[in-house]
Amino acid sequence: MSPLGKPAWAYTTLYRYVRWMYIKLYCRTYSVHGLENVPHKGSVLFVTTHQNNLPDALSLGFASDRRPAFVARADLFKNPKVAVLLRFLKILPMHRADHGRKAITDELPETMHILRDYLAAGQSCTIMAEGSSAPLRSLRPLKKGWARLVLDAQSIGIQPTVIPVVMEYSDWQDWGPDVRVVFGEPLNLEVDGDTMAVRLNHMNRIAFDAISSLIASDEAIQSWSNALPSISGSLPSTPRCSG
């Protein structure tokens, strides 16, 4: 079974085990907010912050029952065995200009077409739009790949629901942070523009403003974390999306 098709039993088993390990052993507390903004069915694109490397993917991946596909740095796929594992986990290579001309002209479009077709099949994808991880509670300029993916999907008649998402941590380094995932309201991306560049810029501004509004300050996160009771070891029920 293709990793971007219907999840195989092995994927589902691994997903449940890693979710249990992450929430039970890594997080002191784990909470999800705004889940009502995530449709239970249909194509969904999550556009997110990127504060904390791998924990960001785990935090978002376990926050709803959508189990989205992700992208990761293309250089991680150089080892064939690692590449097989990453694709099994629904992670595709994201190529950049510094990976060479062929990466941009051939390989990047292939990844984007796979994601577009995945959306066309009614599934969900994630683009961490800042492009790289940084432990900051402020939003860096967004890359435009997510917006290009939306326009590409629209060109074949697909209108994905685009959800801004923030993953927050009381601590980015020590074991056992308080973790929360915040889903914002779907973005209204009906923009005007004579050129694609203008439309992409408008879409990026809409996403930037929406994501920025969800990010809490250091003081707010510290206050929230300090106010939480220590419930380490308790596992919340599997999140469900609203219809």
Side-chain angles (χ1 to χ4, degrees):
M1 178 65 69
S2 168
L4 292 190
K6 184 178 180 181
W9 68 267
Y11 173 87
T12 299
T13 300
L14 181 62
Y15 173 93
R16 291 173 177 171
Y17 176 72
V18 176
R19 180 180 182 274
W20 182 87
M21 293 285 290
Y22 181 69
I23 297 176
K24 180 83 169 180
L25 301 181
Y26 176 73
C27 302
R28 187 180 81 114
T29 63
Y30 174 85
S31 59
V32 180
H33 304 263
L35 192 58
E36 67 277 4
N37 293 318
V38 182
H40 184 69
K41 296 181 179 180
S43 59
V44 174
L45 175 61
F46 299 108
V47 182
T48 82
T49 54
H50 198 6
Q51 296 180 355
N52 201 12
N53 287 313
L54 178 60
D56 281 344
L58 298 176
S59 296
L60 176 59
F62 301 142
S64 77
D65 61 0
R66 294 310 307 256
R67 303 185 188 180
F70 290 86
V71 294
R73 296 195 328 266
D75 55 311
L76 296 176
F77 291 75
K78 290 182 178 179
N79 184 309
K81 293 182 179 179
V82 173
V84 169
L85 174 62
L86 290 174
R87 289 182 181 276
F88 170 75
L89 296 174
K90 300 199 298 185
I91 302 173
L92 297 175
M94 177 57 76
H95 300 273
R96 304 181 307 193
D98 57 352
H99 295 151
R101 179 182 295 274
K102 185 176 184 295
I104 298 301
T105 59
D106 298 339
E107 294 164 345
L108 177 59
E110 179 182 356
T111 292
M112 300 304 283
H113 288 160
I114 293 173
L115 292 176
R116 180 200 63 188
D117 293 344
Y118 199 51
L119 290 173
Q123 302 298 324
S124 63
C125 305
T126 298
I127 301 290
M128 295 181 181
E130 293 176 282
S132 60
S133 174
L136 301 170
R137 296 200 203 284
S138 59
L139 191 61
R140 292 165 290 149
L142 305 183
K143 309 297 183 182
K144 298 175 183 176
W146 74 270
R148 294 182 186 276
L149 177 58
V150 171
L151 293 181
D152 193 19
Q154 291 175 345
S155 72
I156 61 170
I158 305 302
Q159 296 291 339
T161 300
V162 182
I163 306 290
V165 190
V166 170
M167 288 78 73
E168 309 252 56
Y169 306 86
S170 60
D171 190 287
W172 286 299
Q173 295 181 327
D174 290 341
W175 192 272
D178 295 311
V179 180
R180 70 179 180 184
V181 181
V182 183
F183 294 103
E185 295 181 357
L187 300 180
N188 179 358
L189 296 173
E190 295 182 4
V191 298
D192 296 322
D194 296 333
T195 66
M196 177 177 288
V198 171
R199 295 174 65 192
L200 290 172
N201 286 336
H202 287 176
M203 293 167 70
N204 233 21
R205 172 52 60 183
I206 291 171
F208 185 93
D209 290 344
I211 296 172
S212 295
S213 70
L214 300 176
I215 297 176
S217 65
D218 287 334
E219 293 77 12
I221 289 294
Q222 190 62 48
S223 176
W224 161 73
S225 179
N226 290 341
L228 289 173
S230 178
I231 55 174
S232 179
S234 64
L235 182 68
S237 59
T238 301
R240 295 294 175 184
C241 298
S242 57

